Amino acid sequence: MCLAIPGKIKSIESQFDGLVRMAKVSFGGIIKEASLEMVPQAKEEDYVLVHVGVAISVVDEEEAKRTFRYLEEMGEVADELNINDFLPDKEEYSD
Amino acid sequence: MKYLSEYRDPELAQRYLREIEKTVTRPWTIMEVCGGQTHSLVKNGILNLLPPEVNMVHGPGCPVCVTPLNLIDKAVYLAEEKDVILCSYGDMLRVPGSEKSLLEAKANGADIRILYSPLEAVKIAQENPDREVVFFAVGFETTAPANALSVVHAQRLGLDNYAILASHVLVPPAIEALLSDEECLVEGFLAAGHVCTIMGLEEYFPLVDRFGVPIVVTGFEPVDILQGILMVVQQLERGEAKLENQYARMVREGGNPKARETIYEVFDITDRMWRGMDVIPQSGYGVCQAYQKFDAQRKFSVDIPEAPENASCIAGDIMKGLKKPFHCPNFGTHCKPENPLGAPMVSSEGACAAYYHFSDRIHQIEKQSA
Ligand code: SF4
């Protein structure tokens, strides 16, 4: 129930004279509406974490990469891990 | 980056597993707090892959599992007796009440609607001015902003036919209650990442200090969970107890202040009954005085006495980390997802249902408990 998934903001529209900002968010190509009221700083092309129709966080790109570097930073032999293997921008699905 | 599939990479998961194996030297009991993490652990077969020293127990972080029987009875009452349009997240429908579930009430003709978002319930209220609409607002801190926002929207729209039946629970008081219990075996926690997206880290420092347990705020994908487990194991092996954040791509130290503002606009902190556990002081949200006309319990003067729980359900011990679903004599016999005796068999985030659906993926646990 606490499922929340990241999606990319495709467009933003204001309702109630700008009081409410709603976005069309793409989840691997599936478009859903989400309220941006909890993330006033979010803009088009940002990735947001959406839970029950409300965006609750904007993804931090730099922090997102740390999971791939953590083992390396722990002092493992760098050769063993090529970070690029884990940062695939091979389009697994289109958005 | 899609911020999803990358964290399911089997090769990276393997590397984390190897690192956990290298690091662990003795048995540790670690609790994942959130039901979403339980589901991910079981579904992805992680329980089988972990070294036997790492004993994962499954916490109370499934809102469907801890919503008291009494609230289910109240929701059924509102739908059947008060003729409201009762809107709910889908997971709540099969949870058994003392007499019936919402699904049974729906089959008998009550107007019960499954929604993805509470904001849809506000729309339904707008479109049906001659009907009363009640949203069954369950959830942890993650869901509270959306539920509160629905009330704010209804207020802005001047709706007087919308109300919520609130059953909100909070994670830190539950961790405190677990750790204060003498029987508690848990030595480290994976805290629920999405809860901290809203609340930030602040509330967890006192728990780490007072109880001397490592807490790592953790995400939900297999690689996240394995990294979280590794971080807890590293601390335990070093004899440390710190608060760490594995899920920093979503969780800021200060959480989401705007979301908290919305929560505190609509809700007050109250004592709350947890199904299978008991009343935990200051562990939930109720609708505050200023918004009381949106509180379904007051609006419809719902007064239904507490009904006793099914005595043979050991859900409480499971959520405290004392037992595993296989220890329950009803598991898979009298209690199955089609016909659940207790709430953890209903939601796929409940430990019992997760074990039942994916029993082929938990041989190791079966052996341990045999
Ligand atoms: S198997 Fe059923 S009866 Fe047993 S603890 Fe789980 S929910 Fe309760």
Side-chain angles (χ1 to χ4, degrees), chain B residues 182-206:
Chain B
E182 283 173 6
E183 285 180 282
C184 180
L185 305 168
V186 181
E187 295 162 294
F189 285 91
L190 305 185
H194 290 155
V195 165
C196 296
T197 307
I198 309 296
M199 304 309 285
L201 305 182
E202 194 187 34
E203 302 171 301
Y204 295 84
F205 288 107

mmCIF file with all atom_site columns, all heavy atoms in Angstrom, chain B residues 182-206:
data_model
loop_
_atom_site.group_PDB
_atom_site.id
_atom_site.type_symbol
_atom_site.label_atom_id
_atom_site.label_alt_id
_atom_site.label_comp_id
_atom_site.label_asym_id
_atom_site.label_entity_id
_atom_site.label_seq_id
_atom_site.pdbx_PDB_ins_code
_atom_site.Cartn_x
_atom_site.Cartn_y
_atom_site.Cartn_z
_atom_site.occupancy
_atom_site.B_iso_or_equiv
_atom_site.pdbx_formal_charge
_atom_site.auth_seq_id
_atom_site.auth_comp_id
_atom_site.auth_asym_id
_atom_site.auth_atom_id
_atom_site.pdbx_PDB_model_num
ATOM 1   N N   . GLU B 1 182 ? 10.373 -6.428  26.489 1.00 0.00 ? 182 GLU B N   1
ATOM 2   C CA  . GLU B 1 182 ? 11.508 -7.263  26.953 1.00 0.00 ? 182 GLU B CA  1
ATOM 3   C C   . GLU B 1 182 ? 11.819 -8.420  26.016 1.00 0.00 ? 182 GLU B C   1
ATOM 4   O O   . GLU B 1 182 ? 12.958 -8.853  25.903 1.00 0.00 ? 182 GLU B O   1
ATOM 5   C CB  . GLU B 1 182 ? 11.177 -7.867  28.323 1.00 0.00 ? 182 GLU B CB  1
ATOM 6   C CG  . GLU B 1 182 ? 11.320 -6.888  29.457 1.00 0.00 ? 182 GLU B CG  1
ATOM 7   C CD  . GLU B 1 182 ? 10.812 -7.485  30.762 1.00 0.00 ? 182 GLU B CD  1
ATOM 8   O OE1 . GLU B 1 182 ? 10.472 -8.679  30.771 1.00 0.00 ? 182 GLU B OE1 1
ATOM 9   O OE2 . GLU B 1 182 ? 10.748 -6.720  31.740 1.00 0.00 ? 182 GLU B OE2 1
ATOM 10  N N   . GLU B 1 183 ? 10.761 -8.944  25.387 1.00 0.00 ? 183 GLU B N   1
ATOM 11  C CA  . GLU B 1 183 ? 10.954 -10.113 24.527 1.00 0.00 ? 183 GLU B CA  1
ATOM 12  C C   . GLU B 1 183 ? 11.627 -9.781  23.197 1.00 0.00 ? 183 GLU B C   1
ATOM 13  O O   . GLU B 1 183 ? 11.980 -10.677 22.436 1.00 0.00 ? 183 GLU B O   1
ATOM 14  C CB  . GLU B 1 183 ? 9.592  -10.726 24.194 1.00 0.00 ? 183 GLU B CB  1
ATOM 15  C CG  . GLU B 1 183 ? 8.949  -11.497 25.315 1.00 0.00 ? 183 GLU B CG  1
ATOM 16  C CD  . GLU B 1 183 ? 7.603  -12.059 24.836 1.00 0.00 ? 183 GLU B CD  1
ATOM 17  O OE1 . GLU B 1 183 ? 6.634  -11.282 24.783 1.00 0.00 ? 183 GLU B OE1 1
ATOM 18  O OE2 . GLU B 1 183 ? 7.565  -13.249 24.492 1.00 0.00 ? 183 GLU B OE2 1
ATOM 19  N N   . CYS B 1 184 ? 11.759 -8.500  22.906 1.00 0.00 ? 184 CYS B N   1
ATOM 20  C CA  . CYS B 1 184 ? 12.206 -8.078  21.575 1.00 0.00 ? 184 CYS B CA  1
ATOM 21  C C   . CYS B 1 184 ? 13.584 -8.655  21.222 1.00 0.00 ? 184 CYS B C   1
ATOM 22  O O   . CYS B 1 184 ? 14.535 -8.565  21.987 1.00 0.00 ? 184 CYS B O   1
ATOM 23  C CB  . CYS B 1 184 ? 12.246 -6.556  21.512 1.00 0.00 ? 184 CYS B CB  1
ATOM 24  S SG  . CYS B 1 184 ? 12.786 -5.954  19.915 1.00 0.00 ? 184 CYS B SG  1
ATOM 25  N N   . LEU B 1 185 ? 13.663 -9.234  20.019 1.00 0.00 ? 185 LEU B N   1
ATOM 26  C CA  . LEU B 1 185 ? 14.910 -9.866  19.582 1.00 0.00 ? 185 LEU B CA  1
ATOM 27  C C   . LEU B 1 185 ? 15.631 -9.045  18.506 1.00 0.00 ? 185 LEU B C   1
ATOM 28  O O   . LEU B 1 185 ? 16.715 -9.409  18.068 1.00 0.00 ? 185 LEU B O   1
ATOM 29  C CB  . LEU B 1 185 ? 14.603 -11.244 18.977 1.00 0.00 ? 185 LEU B CB  1
ATOM 30  C CG  . LEU B 1 185 ? 13.819 -12.228 19.846 1.00 0.00 ? 185 LEU B CG  1
ATOM 31  C CD1 . LEU B 1 185 ? 13.345 -13.411 19.010 1.00 0.00 ? 185 LEU B CD1 1
ATOM 32  C CD2 . LEU B 1 185 ? 14.707 -12.702 20.987 1.00 0.00 ? 185 LEU B CD2 1
ATOM 33  N N   . VAL B 1 186 ? 14.976 -7.974  18.084 1.00 0.00 ? 186 VAL B N   1
ATOM 34  C CA  . VAL B 1 186 ? 15.482 -7.241  16.923 1.00 0.00 ? 186 VAL B CA  1
ATOM 35  C C   . VAL B 1 186 ? 16.746 -6.452  17.286 1.00 0.00 ? 186 VAL B C   1
ATOM 36  O O   . VAL B 1 186 ? 16.780 -5.725  18.270 1.00 0.00 ? 186 VAL B O   1
ATOM 37  C CB  . VAL B 1 186 ? 14.405 -6.276  16.378 1.00 0.00 ? 186 VAL B CB  1
ATOM 38  C CG1 . VAL B 1 186 ? 14.920 -5.523  15.160 1.00 0.00 ? 186 VAL B CG1 1
ATOM 39  C CG2 . VAL B 1 186 ? 13.131 -7.039  16.049 1.00 0.00 ? 186 VAL B CG2 1
ATOM 40  N N   . GLU B 1 187 ? 17.793 -6.621  16.465 1.00 0.00 ? 187 GLU B N   1
ATOM 41  C CA  . GLU B 1 187 ? 19.072 -5.958  16.757 1.00 0.00 ? 187 GLU B CA  1
ATOM 42  C C   . GLU B 1 187 ? 19.382 -4.813  15.797 1.00 0.00 ? 187 GLU B C   1
ATOM 43  O O   . GLU B 1 187 ? 20.301 -4.038  16.028 1.00 0.00 ? 187 GLU B O   1
ATOM 44  C CB  . GLU B 1 187 ? 20.188 -7.006  16.711 1.00 0.00 ? 187 GLU B CB  1
ATOM 45  C CG  . GLU B 1 187 ? 20.033 -8.049  17.810 1.00 0.00 ? 187 GLU B CG  1
ATOM 46  C CD  . GLU B 1 187 ? 20.834 -9.317  17.549 1.00 0.00 ? 187 GLU B CD  1
ATOM 47  O OE1 . GLU B 1 187 ? 20.510 -10.032 16.572 1.00 0.00 ? 187 GLU B OE1 1
ATOM 48  O OE2 . GLU B 1 187 ? 21.780 -9.571  18.300 1.00 0.00 ? 187 GLU B OE2 1
ATOM 49  N N   . GLY B 1 188 ? 18.636 -4.737  14.693 1.00 0.00 ? 188 GLY B N   1
ATOM 50  C CA  . GLY B 1 188 ? 18.849 -3.657  13.742 1.00 0.00 ? 188 GLY B CA  1
ATOM 51  C C   . GLY B 1 188 ? 17.619 -3.507  12.865 1.00 0.00 ? 188 GLY B C   1
ATOM 52  O O   . GLY B 1 188 ? 16.869 -4.466  12.695 1.00 0.00 ? 188 GLY B O   1
ATOM 53  N N   . PHE B 1 189 ? 17.423 -2.314  12.337 1.00 0.00 ? 189 PHE B N   1
ATOM 54  C CA  . PHE B 1 189 ? 16.213 -2.039  11.552 1.00 0.00 ? 189 PHE B CA  1
ATOM 55  C C   . PHE B 1 189 ? 16.538 -1.499  10.167 1.00 0.00 ? 189 PHE B C   1
ATOM 56  O O   . PHE B 1 189 ? 17.437 -0.674  10.005 1.00 0.00 ? 189 PHE B O   1
ATOM 57  C CB  . PHE B 1 189 ? 15.362 -0.964  12.236 1.00 0.00 ? 189 PHE B CB  1
ATOM 58  C CG  . PHE B 1 189 ? 14.614 -1.436  13.437 1.00 0.00 ? 189 PHE B CG  1
ATOM 59  C CD1 . PHE B 1 189 ? 15.183 -1.351  14.703 1.00 0.00 ? 189 PHE B CD1 1
ATOM 60  C CD2 . PHE B 1 189 ? 13.339 -1.978  13.308 1.00 0.00 ? 189 PHE B CD2 1
ATOM 61  C CE1 . PHE B 1 189 ? 14.486 -1.782  15.823 1.00 0.00 ? 189 PHE B CE1 1
ATOM 62  C CE2 . PHE B 1 189 ? 12.640 -2.412  14.423 1.00 0.00 ? 189 PHE B CE2 1
ATOM 63  C CZ  . PHE B 1 189 ? 13.212 -2.314  15.678 1.00 0.00 ? 189 PHE B CZ  1
ATOM 64  N N   . LEU B 1 190 ? 15.738 -1.951  9.186  1.00 0.00 ? 190 LEU B N   1
ATOM 65  C CA  . LEU B 1 190 ? 15.625 -1.214  7.929  1.00 0.00 ? 190 LEU B CA  1
ATOM 66  C C   . LEU B 1 190 ? 14.386 -0.345  8.090  1.00 0.00 ? 190 LEU B C   1
ATOM 67  O O   . LEU B 1 190 ? 13.276 -0.864  8.217  1.00 0.00 ? 190 LEU B O   1
ATOM 68  C CB  . LEU B 1 190 ? 15.395 -2.151  6.737  1.00 0.00 ? 190 LEU B CB  1
ATOM 69  C CG  . LEU B 1 190 ? 16.388 -3.287  6.488  1.00 0.00 ? 190 LEU B CG  1
ATOM 70  C CD1 . LEU B 1 190 ? 16.021 -3.995  5.181  1.00 0.00 ? 190 LEU B CD1 1
ATOM 71  C CD2 . LEU B 1 190 ? 17.812 -2.769  6.421  1.00 0.00 ? 190 LEU B CD2 1
ATOM 72  N N   . ALA B 1 191 ? 14.563 0.971   8.167  1.00 0.00 ? 191 ALA B N   1
ATOM 73  C CA  . ALA B 1 191 ? 13.399 1.852   8.305  1.00 0.00 ? 191 ALA B CA  1
ATOM 74  C C   . ALA B 1 191 ? 12.769 2.064   6.940  1.00 0.00 ? 191 ALA B C   1
ATOM 75  O O   . ALA B 1 191 ? 13.416 1.879   5.903  1.00 0.00 ? 191 ALA B O   1
ATOM 76  C CB  . ALA B 1 191 ? 13.804 3.180   8.937  1.00 0.00 ? 191 ALA B CB  1
ATOM 77  N N   . ALA B 1 192 ? 11.497 2.455   6.963  1.00 0.00 ? 192 ALA B N   1
ATOM 78  C CA  . ALA B 1 192 ? 10.708 2.526   5.736  1.00 0.00 ? 192 ALA B CA  1
ATOM 79  C C   . ALA B 1 192 ? 11.025 3.789   4.952  1.00 0.00 ? 192 ALA B C   1
ATOM 80  O O   . ALA B 1 192 ? 10.722 4.894   5.380  1.00 0.00 ? 192 ALA B O   1
ATOM 81  C CB  . ALA B 1 192 ? 9.225  2.493   6.096  1.00 0.00 ? 192 ALA B CB  1
ATOM 82  N N   . GLY B 1 193 ? 11.642 3.622   3.786  1.00 0.00 ? 193 GLY B N   1
ATOM 83  C CA  . GLY B 1 193 ? 12.087 4.757   2.994  1.00 0.00 ? 193 GLY B CA  1
ATOM 84  C C   . GLY B 1 193 ? 11.002 5.763   2.663  1.00 0.00 ? 193 GLY B C   1
ATOM 85  O O   . GLY B 1 193 ? 11.204 6.964   2.781  1.00 0.00 ? 193 GLY B O   1
ATOM 86  N N   . HIS B 1 194 ? 9.832  5.270   2.266  1.00 0.00 ? 194 HIS B N   1
ATOM 87  C CA  . HIS B 1 194 ? 8.818  6.220   1.802  1.00 0.00 ? 194 HIS B CA  1
ATOM 88  C C   . HIS B 1 194 ? 8.247  7.051   2.947  1.00 0.00 ? 194 HIS B C   1
ATOM 89  O O   . HIS B 1 194 ? 7.879  8.205   2.761  1.00 0.00 ? 194 HIS B O   1
ATOM 90  C CB  . HIS B 1 194 ? 7.723  5.489   1.017  1.00 0.00 ? 194 HIS B CB  1
ATOM 91  C CG  . HIS B 1 194 ? 8.243  4.985   -0.298 1.00 0.00 ? 194 HIS B CG  1
ATOM 92  N ND1 . HIS B 1 194 ? 7.701  3.934   -0.968 1.00 0.00 ? 194 HIS B ND1 1
ATOM 93  C CD2 . HIS B 1 194 ? 9.293  5.410   -1.049 1.00 0.00 ? 194 HIS B CD2 1
ATOM 94  C CE1 . HIS B 1 194 ? 8.388  3.721   -2.094 1.00 0.00 ? 194 HIS B CE1 1
ATOM 95  N NE2 . HIS B 1 194 ? 9.360  4.600   -2.151 1.00 0.00 ? 194 HIS B NE2 1
ATOM 96  N N   . VAL B 1 195 ? 8.201  6.461   4.134  1.00 0.00 ? 195 VAL B N   1
ATOM 97  C CA  . VAL B 1 195 ? 7.770  7.222   5.313  1.00 0.00 ? 195 VAL B CA  1
ATOM 98  C C   . VAL B 1 195 ? 8.729  8.394   5.551  1.00 0.00 ? 195 VAL B C   1
ATOM 99  O O   . VAL B 1 195 ? 8.315  9.523   5.798  1.00 0.00 ? 195 VAL B O   1
ATOM 100 C CB  . VAL B 1 195 ? 7.722  6.293   6.550  1.00 0.00 ? 195 VAL B CB  1
ATOM 101 C CG1 . VAL B 1 195 ? 7.635  7.097   7.837  1.00 0.00 ? 195 VAL B CG1 1
ATOM 102 C CG2 . VAL B 1 195 ? 6.542  5.330   6.452  1.00 0.00 ? 195 VAL B CG2 1
ATOM 103 N N   . CYS B 1 196 ? 10.032 8.113   5.425  1.00 0.00 ? 196 CYS B N   1
ATOM 104 C CA  . CYS B 1 196 ? 11.039 9.154   5.686  1.00 0.00 ? 196 CYS B CA  1
ATOM 105 C C   . CYS B 1 196 ? 11.083 10.207  4.578  1.00 0.00 ? 196 CYS B C   1
ATOM 106 O O   . CYS B 1 196 ? 11.566 11.316  4.800  1.00 0.00 ? 196 CYS B O   1
ATOM 107 C CB  . CYS B 1 196 ? 12.405 8.524   5.885  1.00 0.00 ? 196 CYS B CB  1
ATOM 108 S SG  . CYS B 1 196 ? 12.448 7.459   7.337  1.00 0.00 ? 196 CYS B SG  1
ATOM 109 N N   . THR B 1 197 ? 10.588 9.867   3.394  1.00 0.00 ? 197 THR B N   1
ATOM 110 C CA  . THR B 1 197 ? 10.462 10.870  2.331  1.00 0.00 ? 197 THR B CA  1
ATOM 111 C C   . THR B 1 197 ? 9.665  12.059  2.861  1.00 0.00 ? 197 THR B C   1
ATOM 112 O O   . THR B 1 197 ? 9.955  13.207  2.562  1.00 0.00 ? 197 THR B O   1
ATOM 113 C CB  . THR B 1 197 ? 9.682  10.277  1.134  1.00 0.00 ? 197 THR B CB  1
ATOM 114 O OG1 . THR B 1 197 ? 10.297 9.076   0.761  1.00 0.00 ? 197 THR B OG1 1
ATOM 115 C CG2 . THR B 1 197 ? 9.657  11.206  -0.034 1.00 0.00 ? 197 THR B CG2 1
ATOM 116 N N   . ILE B 1 198 ? 8.662  11.764  3.652  1.00 0.00 ? 198 ILE B N   1
ATOM 117 C CA  . ILE B 1 198 ? 7.817  12.808  4.232  1.00 0.00 ? 198 ILE B CA  1
ATOM 118 C C   . ILE B 1 198 ? 8.438  13.367  5.517  1.00 0.00 ? 198 ILE B C   1
ATOM 119 O O   . ILE B 1 198 ? 8.563  14.571  5.691  1.00 0.00 ? 198 ILE B O   1
ATOM 120 C CB  . ILE B 1 198 ? 6.411  12.245  4.583  1.00 0.00 ? 198 ILE B CB  1
ATOM 121 C CG1 . ILE B 1 198 ? 5.783  11.507  3.397  1.00 0.00 ? 198 ILE B CG1 1
ATOM 122 C CG2 . ILE B 1 198 ? 5.509  13.351  5.129  1.00 0.00 ? 198 ILE B CG2 1
ATOM 123 C CD1 . ILE B 1 198 ? 5.483  12.348  2.199  1.00 0.00 ? 198 ILE B CD1 1
ATOM 124 N N   . MET B 1 199 ? 8.816  12.459  6.436  1.00 0.00 ? 199 MET B N   1
ATOM 125 C CA  . MET B 1 199 ? 9.149  12.886  7.788  1.00 0.00 ? 199 MET B CA  1
ATOM 126 C C   . MET B 1 199 ? 10.629 13.244  7.971  1.00 0.00 ? 199 MET B C   1
ATOM 127 O O   . MET B 1 199 ? 10.993 13.855  8.965  1.00 0.00 ? 199 MET B O   1
ATOM 128 C CB  . MET B 1 199 ? 8.776  11.795  8.798  1.00 0.00 ? 199 MET B CB  1
ATOM 129 C CG  . MET B 1 199 ? 7.318  11.355  8.737  1.00 0.00 ? 199 MET B CG  1
ATOM 130 S SD  . MET B 1 199 ? 6.113  12.712  8.794  1.00 0.00 ? 199 MET B SD  1
ATOM 131 C CE  . MET B 1 199 ? 6.209  13.161  10.523 1.00 0.00 ? 199 MET B CE  1
ATOM 132 N N   . GLY B 1 200 ? 11.483 12.793  7.053  1.00 0.00 ? 200 GLY B N   1
ATOM 133 C CA  . GLY B 1 200 ? 12.904 13.035  7.227  1.00 0.00 ? 200 GLY B CA  1
ATOM 134 C C   . GLY B 1 200 ? 13.482 12.099  8.281  1.00 0.00 ? 200 GLY B C   1
ATOM 135 O O   . GLY B 1 200 ? 12.863 11.103  8.657  1.00 0.00 ? 200 GLY B O   1
ATOM 136 N N   . LEU B 1 201 ? 14.682 12.432  8.766  1.00 0.00 ? 201 LEU B N   1
ATOM 137 C CA  . LEU B 1 201 ? 15.410 11.495  9.632  1.00 0.00 ? 201 LEU B CA  1
ATOM 138 C C   . LEU B 1 201 ? 15.294 11.818  11.119 1.00 0.00 ? 201 LEU B C   1
ATOM 139 O O   . LEU B 1 201 ? 15.521 10.963  11.966 1.00 0.00 ? 201 LEU B O   1
ATOM 140 C CB  . LEU B 1 201 ? 16.896 11.505  9.252  1.00 0.00 ? 201 LEU B CB  1
ATOM 141 C CG  . LEU B 1 201 ? 17.211 11.218  7.785  1.00 0.00 ? 201 LEU B CG  1
ATOM 142 C CD1 . LEU B 1 201 ? 18.718 11.202  7.564  1.00 0.00 ? 201 LEU B CD1 1
ATOM 143 C CD2 . LEU B 1 201 ? 16.601 9.889   7.335  1.00 0.00 ? 201 LEU B CD2 1
ATOM 144 N N   . GLU B 1 202 ? 14.926 13.037  11.407 1.00 0.00 ? 202 GLU B N   1
ATOM 145 C CA  . GLU B 1 202 ? 14.991 13.580  12.762 1.00 0.00 ? 202 GLU B CA  1
ATOM 146 C C   . GLU B 1 202 ? 14.456 12.649  13.863 1.00 0.00 ? 202 GLU B C   1
ATOM 147 O O   . GLU B 1 202 ? 15.096 12.465  14.901 1.00 0.00 ? 202 GLU B O   1
ATOM 148 C CB  . GLU B 1 202 ? 14.177 14.874  12.753 1.00 0.00 ? 202 GLU B CB  1
ATOM 149 C CG  . GLU B 1 202 ? 14.385 15.752  13.935 1.00 0.00 ? 202 GLU B CG  1
ATOM 150 C CD  . GLU B 1 202 ? 13.389 16.921  13.885 1.00 0.00 ? 202 GLU B CD  1
ATOM 151 O OE1 . GLU B 1 202 ? 12.243 16.718  13.413 1.00 0.00 ? 202 GLU B OE1 1
ATOM 152 O OE2 . GLU B 1 202 ? 13.765 18.009  14.304 1.00 0.00 ? 202 GLU B OE2 1
ATOM 153 N N   . GLU B 1 203 ? 13.288 12.041  13.609 1.00 0.00 ? 203 GLU B N   1
ATOM 154 C CA  . GLU B 1 203 ? 12.644 11.263  14.670 1.00 0.00 ? 203 GLU B CA  1
ATOM 155 C C   . GLU B 1 203 ? 13.402 9.988   15.023 1.00 0.00 ? 203 GLU B C   1
ATOM 156 O O   . GLU B 1 203 ? 13.091 9.339   16.021 1.00 0.00 ? 203 GLU B O   1
ATOM 157 C CB  . GLU B 1 203 ? 11.249 10.826  14.222 1.00 0.00 ? 203 GLU B CB  1
ATOM 158 C CG  . GLU B 1 203 ? 10.326 11.950  13.849 1.00 0.00 ? 203 GLU B CG  1
ATOM 159 C CD  . GLU B 1 203 ? 9.052  11.401  13.201 1.00 0.00 ? 203 GLU B CD  1
ATOM 160 O OE1 . GLU B 1 203 ? 9.148  10.716  12.166 1.00 0.00 ? 203 GLU B OE1 1
ATOM 161 O OE2 . GLU B 1 203 ? 7.987  11.657  13.736 1.00 0.00 ? 203 GLU B OE2 1
ATOM 162 N N   . TYR B 1 204 ? 14.355 9.604   14.172 1.00 0.00 ? 204 TYR B N   1
ATOM 163 C CA  . TYR B 1 204 ? 15.008 8.308   14.380 1.00 0.00 ? 204 TYR B CA  1
ATOM 164 C C   . TYR B 1 204 ? 16.285 8.406   15.214 1.00 0.00 ? 204 TYR B C   1
ATOM 165 O O   . TYR B 1 204 ? 16.733 7.417   15.782 1.00 0.00 ? 204 TYR B O   1
ATOM 166 C CB  . TYR B 1 204 ? 15.273 7.626   13.029 1.00 0.00 ? 204 TYR B CB  1
ATOM 167 C CG  . TYR B 1 204 ? 13.969 7.289   12.344 1.00 0.00 ? 204 TYR B CG  1
ATOM 168 C CD1 . TYR B 1 204 ? 13.291 8.234   11.575 1.00 0.00 ? 204 TYR B CD1 1
ATOM 169 C CD2 . TYR B 1 204 ? 13.363 6.050   12.522 1.00 0.00 ? 204 TYR B CD2 1
ATOM 170 C CE1 . TYR B 1 204 ? 12.064 7.952   10.989 1.00 0.00 ? 204 TYR B CE1 1
ATOM 171 C CE2 . TYR B 1 204 ? 12.145 5.752   11.941 1.00 0.00 ? 204 TYR B CE2 1
ATOM 172 C CZ  . TYR B 1 204 ? 11.501 6.715   11.180 1.00 0.00 ? 204 TYR B CZ  1
ATOM 173 O OH  . TYR B 1 204 ? 10.277 6.429   10.612 1.00 0.00 ? 204 TYR B OH  1
ATOM 174 N N   . PHE B 1 205 ? 16.862 9.615   15.292 1.00 0.00 ? 205 PHE B N   1
ATOM 175 C CA  . PHE B 1 205 ? 18.089 9.756   16.091 1.00 0.00 ? 205 PHE B CA  1
ATOM 176 C C   . PHE B 1 205 ? 17.864 9.371   17.553 1.00 0.00 ? 205 PHE B C   1
ATOM 177 O O   . PHE B 1 205 ? 18.665 8.628   18.129 1.00 0.00 ? 205 PHE B O   1
ATOM 178 C CB  . PHE B 1 205 ? 18.643 11.190  15.987 1.00 0.00 ? 205 PHE B CB  1
ATOM 179 C CG  . PHE B 1 205 ? 19.250 11.505  14.651 1.00 0.00 ? 205 PHE B CG  1
ATOM 180 C CD1 . PHE B 1 205 ? 18.615 12.341  13.750 1.00 0.00 ? 205 PHE B CD1 1
ATOM 181 C CD2 . PHE B 1 205 ? 20.473 10.935  14.282 1.00 0.00 ? 205 PHE B CD2 1
ATOM 182 C CE1 . PHE B 1 205 ? 19.170 12.616  12.504 1.00 0.00 ? 205 PHE B CE1 1
ATOM 183 C CE2 . PHE B 1 205 ? 21.049 11.209  13.045 1.00 0.00 ? 205 PHE B CE2 1
ATOM 184 C CZ  . PHE B 1 205 ? 20.392 12.053  12.151 1.00 0.00 ? 205 PHE B CZ  1
ATOM 185 N N   . PRO B 1 206 ? 16.762 9.840   18.180 1.00 0.00 ? 206 PRO B N   1
ATOM 186 C CA  . PRO B 1 206 ? 16.564 9.466   19.592 1.00 0.00 ? 206 PRO B CA  1
ATOM 187 C C   . PRO B 1 206 ? 16.425 7.954   19.797 1.00 0.00 ? 206 PRO B C   1
ATOM 188 O O   . PRO B 1 206 ? 16.858 7.424   20.829 1.00 0.00 ? 206 PRO B O   1
ATOM 189 C CB  . PRO B 1 206 ? 15.243 10.163  19.968 1.00 0.00 ? 206 PRO B CB  1
ATOM 190 C CG  . PRO B 1 206 ? 14.995 11.181  18.923 1.00 0.00 ? 206 PRO B CG  1
ATOM 191 C CD  . PRO B 1 206 ? 15.741 10.777  17.705 1.00 0.00 ? 206 PRO B CD  1
#
